[in-house]
Amino acid sequence: DFFLSPFGTGKHQTFGDGNVDMPKLFAAMKSECPGLEWLQIDTWEHPAPFEAAAKNKKELVRILKEIGWN
C-alpha cells in the first residue's frame, strides 16, 4: 500500500509491490521535469532495504529504457 503518515513519509516498497504504476509515474516525470538530473529511490523502513534497493535499481533501469528516458 502507498500511504503518507502524519509525518509526511510513505511506506517504501519494492517496485511492483505497491499500488503505484511506476512506468506511468516516471513517464509523467519525464514529461513534466525534462531537465531532471538525478533520482533518489528511498528504501526507508523497508524490512530488507539493500535487497529492495538492488531490485528497484534494476527495475528503474528497465522502466527508463522502456519510456525512452536515458
Side-chain angles (χ1 to χ4, degrees):
D1 297 340
F2 177 77
F3 67 93
L4 295 177
S5 76
F7 307 105
T9 190
K11 182 176 180 184
H12 299 94
Q13 298 181 337
T14 305
F15 289 4
D17 289 347
N19 61 5
V20 175
D21 183 335
M22 300 308 283
K24 186 175 180 179
L25 171 70
F26 287 112
M29 288 176 65
K30 176 185 175 190
S31 173
E32 295 298 318
C33 309
L36 189 65
E37 295 183 18
W38 59 272
L39 296 169
Q40 177 175 326
I41 307 301
D42 197 350
T43 57
W44 178 255
E45 293 187 358
H46 190 283
F50 296 107
E51 292 84 356
K55 288 178 182 178
N56 286 349
K57 182 178 179 183
K58 184 177 179 180
E59 184 64 7
L60 178 61
V61 169
R62 186 196 68 75
I63 291 169
L64 296 181
K65 184 177 180 181
E66 176 184 308
I67 66 171
W69 194 11
N70 303 356

